[in-house]
Amino acid sequence: MAIRNIMKQGEPVLNKKCKTIKEITPKTLEILEDLAETMYKFDGVGLAAPQVGILKRMVTIDVGSGLLELINPEILETRGSVTDVEGCLSVDDFVGEVTRPEYVKIRAVNRDGKAIEIEGHGLLARAFCHEIDHLNGVLFTEKVEREVK
Ligand code: CO
């Protein structure tokens, strides 16, 4: 396990679409572990592989109810909408309001290669959307409606 450097806004790697993972290898698991360690180190609630310079569809999330390691996550269903303050470990000194669905159901693959579905409300739903956006090269700054000072 290792703490990785976090790429900051302006790095081209943050604006690229990540590749689907076809096979889970020891390297895949090492990246997941590093993502989690780096996320906790910097007090994030989520971290996506491109934020550490890796263009693969992998994220970790922990909104306070345990670590989620998600490979190839995709949104299956959304409901409602909530506008709330959001930030990102790749964007220093800036937070802003973003409207996201209140409920999001995702499908992903876990570290054992098993297909999983997870439902999230509120902050977890927001984290799913924010991290999956990263995998598509989208930063939350593109979606901010109002900066919060
Ligand atoms: Co982010």
Side-chain angles (χ1 to χ4, degrees):
M1 299 244 291
I3 308 267
R4 305 251 184 165
N5 282 332
I6 295 183
M7 303 289 134
K8 299 296 177 176
Q9 187 175 29
E11 292 275 357
V13 73
L14 290 174
N15 298 113
K16 297 201 163 105
K17 201 167 152 66
C18 296
K19 292 196 179 73
T20 300
I21 301 207
K22 297 207 172 78
E23 190 191 0
I24 298 168
T25 65
K27 182 77 189 163
T28 316
L29 302 182
E30 188 189 320
I31 294 167
L32 280 175
E33 282 159 19
D34 289 356
L35 279 176
E37 194 175 350
T38 307
M39 173 181 79
Y40 288 125
K41 165 82 179 170
F42 295 102
D43 293 323
V45 299
L47 195 64
Q51 293 182 274
V52 298
I54 298 168
L55 287 169
K56 292 184 176 167
R57 302 189 81 82
M58 274 188 272
V59 310
T60 55
I61 291 173
D62 189 341
V63 296
S65 44
L67 175 64
L68 298 174
E69 297 173 314
L70 307 174
I71 297 167
N72 300 334
E74 48 186 315
I75 291 172
L76 294 179
E77 201 183 319
T78 66
R79 279 203 295 273
S81 84
V82 185
T83 304
D84 208 342
V85 176
E86 205 167 306
C88 178
L89 292 178
S90 292
V91 184
D92 291 329
D93 306 318
F94 179 84
V95 291
E97 287 184 345
V98 182
T99 301
R100 302 281 193 185
E102 194 284 325
Y103 165 90
V104 175
K105 182 180 184 180
I106 61 135
R107 173 170 55 207
V109 171
N110 71 10
R111 59 160 50 230
D112 302 315
K114 192 171 164 247
I116 52 172
E117 287 185 5
I118 307 173
E119 296 177 300
H121 290 268
L123 182 58
L124 182 54
R126 179 171 298 276
F128 285 151
C129 296
H130 180 114
E131 300 312 327
I132 290 170
D133 274 353
H134 273 300
L135 301 182
N136 295 321
V138 175
L139 292 182
F140 85 109
T141 48
E142 291 181 37
K143 298 187 169 178
V144 165
E145 294 143 38
R146 192 171 68 86
E147 186 180 355
V148 177
K149 301 266 189 190

